[in-house]
Amino acid sequence: MRPGATRTSCRNSGELSKSDPVVVFCVYGFHVGCKTAIMLREAGFDAKYMKGGHSAWKAIGGAIKPIAEQSQENEV
């Protein structure tokens, strides 16, 4: 997972702020991410999808952290 990212389901969009931009990404960056960004935009969010998804981010050497590490941070 990208540092600073929050893992959530599109069903939990109530956790997001409509005043902050949202970047959606999935593993490969199209079907799930694109459809989710469209759904969020229709609900009034400033949502974009990350082309290439998590796989492309890792391929270019983007910083990542394990999901378990992020879960521990949220428990504090």
Side-chain angles (χ1 to χ4, degrees):
M1 172 134 12
R2 294 180 63 179
T6 301
R7 184 177 186 179
T8 189
S9 165
C10 61
R11 293 177 190 92
N12 295 333
S13 62
E15 298 174 1
L16 303 173
S17 169
K18 288 187 178 182
S19 63
D20 295 326
V22 176
V23 177
V24 177
F25 62 96
C26 58
V27 175
Y28 299 110
F30 190 71
H31 291 97
V32 174
C34 185
K35 289 178 182 180
T36 301
I38 290 168
M39 182 195 75
L40 288 169
R41 282 195 299 270
E42 289 172 349
F45 291 90
D46 177 14
K48 309 271 190 290
Y49 74 93
M50 184 171 66
K51 186 176 180 181
H54 185 72
S55 295
W57 180 256
K58 284 174 44 178
I60 64 168
I64 60 170
K65 65 180 177 178
I67 292 172
E69 182 180 324
Q70 192 230 355
S71 296
Q72 290 173 351
E73 290 175 6
N74 288 343
E75 292 174 5
V76 174

